[in-house]
Amino acid sequence: GAVVSQHPSWVICKSGTSVKIECRSLDFQATTMFWYRQFPKQSLMLMATSNEGSKATYEQGVEKDKFLINHASLTLSTLTVTSAHPEDSSFYICSARDWTQETQYFGPGTRLLVL
Amino acid sequence: GENVEQHPSTLSVQEGDSAVIKCTYSDSASNYFPWYKQELGKGPQLIIDIRSNVGEKKDQRIAVTLNKTAKHFSLHITETQPEDSAVYFCAASEDDKIIFGKGTRLHILP
């Protein structure tokens, strides 16, 4: 199947700093990418939908100024957690939609720990 | 919006036996139902999916059934093996947005 990568796979940062997470579709073009957050032993919660060349659409309760999303190309979307706090510690997972197959493929996730 | 309920939350089966996980959804407009397997520390992996114009789909030891009238769908794993131990998520989607169930932790007992 199609491959989606994320970088970094894990990151530790100090409270108040910003962290950028990259999501790439390696062998297909993705006009739409999605960002999810998963707390331990819980399900994936959709944070936002990222469309190439336009502004992201955020789910209710997700602060757009705190979670900045950029989708500048058909193979790359980035999520920046600004002024991170310990409560932002979580597993962040992206997915990319292969429009030719109408299927979403998920990345391996990025574990963020804010101290 | 869409709401997906998944049961059971935990399931233990003897190796070689079958496992069944059931889900219901609320939005009759949903037309795509994927199932994901997630191992510890990894992203979810699509294992099988079904669209609303089909009632059943099978891929080797894995099968999924869909009842659109009742708005429920199920995952069946036969001849379970130790490597089937993981968390399984059902999901429903109408457009691009995928809504996940809460997950089922499947333990395969030796």
Side-chain angles (χ1 to χ4, degrees), chain A residues 26-101:
Chain A
L26 298 184
D27 50 2
F28 66 97
Q29 293 184 330
T31 54
T32 306
M33 290 184 172
F34 305 85
W35 287 96
Y36 294 82
R37 181 167 50 183
Q38 185 179 33
F39 291 109
K41 297 188 178 181
Q42 293 190 22
S43 187
L44 284 78
M45 299 300 296
L46 179 65
M47 298 175 66
T49 302
S50 167
N51 294 298
E52 187 264 338
S54 64
K55 291 184 178 180
T57 302
Y58 291 81
E59 294 300 300
Q60 190 173 7
V62 178
E63 300 175 56
K64 62 179 182 180
D65 294 330
K66 180 168 184 61
F67 298 100
L68 301 179
I69 292 174
N70 183 278
H71 192 162
S73 77
L74 288 173
T75 59
L76 173 64
S77 176
T78 61
L79 169 68
T80 300
V81 183
T82 62
S83 187
H85 291 286
E87 57 266 31
D88 298 323
S89 298
S90 187
F91 194 44
Y92 291 87
I93 306 170
C94 73
S95 71
R97 182 174 182 267
D98 182 347
W99 66 271
T100 64
Q101 299 184 39

Side-chain angles (χ1 to χ4, degrees), chain B residues 73-92:
Chain B
F73 54 116
S74 302
L75 177 72
H76 303 251
I77 305 174
T78 60
E79 300 173 17
T80 53
Q81 300 169 3
E83 53 266 35
D84 294 331
S85 293
V87 177
Y88 291 81
F89 292 97
C90 64

